[in-house]
Amino acid sequence: MKFAKSILTSFCDYPGSIATVVFTVGCNFRCPYCYNQDLVLERVETVSDQEALQEIFRRKITSSIVITGGEPTIHRDLPIFIRHLKKKGYSLKLDTNGSNPQMVDELLKEELLDYVALDIKSSPENFQTISGLDESTAKEIFRRILDTLDLLNNSSVRFEIRTTFVPGLINETDLKEIKKIIGNKPWYIQRFKPYKTLSSLTNYALEEKKLRRLVDELGAELR
């Protein structure tokens, strides 16, 4: 596996806990609004899984780990990496785009995860635009995301849904469709960060008051 050399300490990425955050390199999506373009395009200094583990073990401030990306589940060795951490007693949170339900299923069955953040980036109708994938791939990937959601719904692991609201790319109809899909599961609508994006975006202005109204109407929380 390849991890970004930067390993962070976070007070907000793992609910209720200080966490060490590690970033896997590479992603199977090309979301135009992504602000982790250097991770997605593999333009960061990397370390091996063993080097990442050594740095995690060196830090004594927390026993909570967040694995994010990029997209962690594109790496076949991810379960091996997590097993090393679980043997040391760490709590694990996985951030994922949901495109690899087979791996999520494996991790859940082995009880290797304690928390999952699942990105549902758009409605099915708009998913191709949001994910940057071709039409047939986007349709197949969205089905896989729904499979991942089903796995989480049928597990005892805590999880949340995340959607980044990007004005001009996502609209109220998309959010309402997502709400129908996820029901009353914990849902965080995230503010768009308009810098260092994968594609150049200009139409992203949205009044904070309007965004808060949308979030309240949908029973979500704003980040």
Side-chain angles (χ1 to χ4, degrees):
M1 289 184 66
K2 290 191 293 186
F3 291 89
K5 186 174 182 180
S6 297
I7 295 176
L8 306 180
T9 298
S10 171
F11 293 86
C12 61
D13 285 272
Y14 198 123
S17 177
I18 301 171
T20 298
V21 183
V22 294
F23 300 84
T24 63
V25 176
C27 187
N28 54 342
F29 287 9
R30 289 295 182 269
C31 305
Y33 62 87
C34 179
Y35 61 88
N36 280 335
Q37 60 169 297
D38 289 339
L39 284 170
V40 170
L41 301 177
E42 304 188 32
R43 299 189 305 208
V44 295
E45 188 174 357
T46 62
V47 295
S48 68
D49 51 352
Q50 289 301 317
E51 290 171 313
L53 286 170
Q54 289 173 9
E55 177 61 21
I56 290 169
F57 296 155
R58 185 183 68 80
R59 300 182 181 210
K60 306 297 183 183
I61 192 172
T62 179
S63 61
S64 297
I65 309 296
V66 176
I67 302 177
T68 188
E71 172 50 39
T73 66
I74 66 173
H75 300 279
R76 290 187 296 176
D77 291 341
L78 178 64
I80 297 172
F81 182 80
I82 295 178
R83 289 183 196 115
H84 286 302
L85 293 169
K86 293 301 288 185
K87 287 178 182 177
K88 296 287 187 178
Y90 287 93
S91 295
L92 263 295
K93 174 177 177 274
L94 174 68
D95 292 349
T96 180
N97 62 24
S99 62
N100 192 344
Q102 293 85 358
M103 180 172 286
V104 173
D105 189 32
E106 177 183 351
L107 296 172
L108 291 172
K109 285 179 176 176
E110 290 192 41
E111 299 182 351
L112 295 175
L113 301 177
D114 301 281
Y115 198 101
V116 176
L118 172 64
D119 290 328
I120 298 185
K121 298 177 180 292
S122 178
S123 65
E125 293 75 18
N126 200 22
F127 184 68
Q128 180 185 357
T129 299
I130 293 300
S131 63
L133 303 172
D134 64 73
E135 184 178 1
S136 60
T137 302
K139 288 181 179 178
E140 172 59 28
I141 291 294
F142 200 87
R143 286 193 289 268
R144 295 181 192 175
I145 293 169
L146 296 180
D147 288 342
T148 299
L149 178 60
D150 285 341
L151 288 168
L152 293 171
N153 278 328
N154 291 306
S155 78
S156 59
V157 171
R158 294 172 62 204
F159 72 96
E160 65 185 50
I161 309 298
R162 306 185 303 188
T163 303
T164 300
F165 187 82
V166 188
L169 288 181
I170 296 177
N171 55 41
E172 292 185 44
T173 300
D174 291 313
L175 294 179
K176 290 176 181 177
E177 287 299 311
I178 294 171
K179 177 63 175 179
K180 291 178 183 177
I181 291 169
I182 67 173
N184 294 320
K185 300 303 178 184
W187 184 23
Y188 292 91
I189 296 177
Q190 303 177 139
R191 295 177 178 89
F192 169 55
K193 300 177 181 179
Y195 58 87
K196 293 185 177 180
T197 53
L198 201 59
S199 298
S200 178
L201 299 175
T202 56
N203 183 24
Y204 56 78
L206 181 72
E207 294 180 6
E208 179 75 7
K209 185 177 180 179
K210 183 177 180 180
L211 181 57
R212 289 187 177 276
R213 176 185 62 78
L214 278 172
V215 170
D216 290 342
E217 287 179 357
L218 293 164
E221 293 188 47
L222 183 63
R223 280 183 178 160

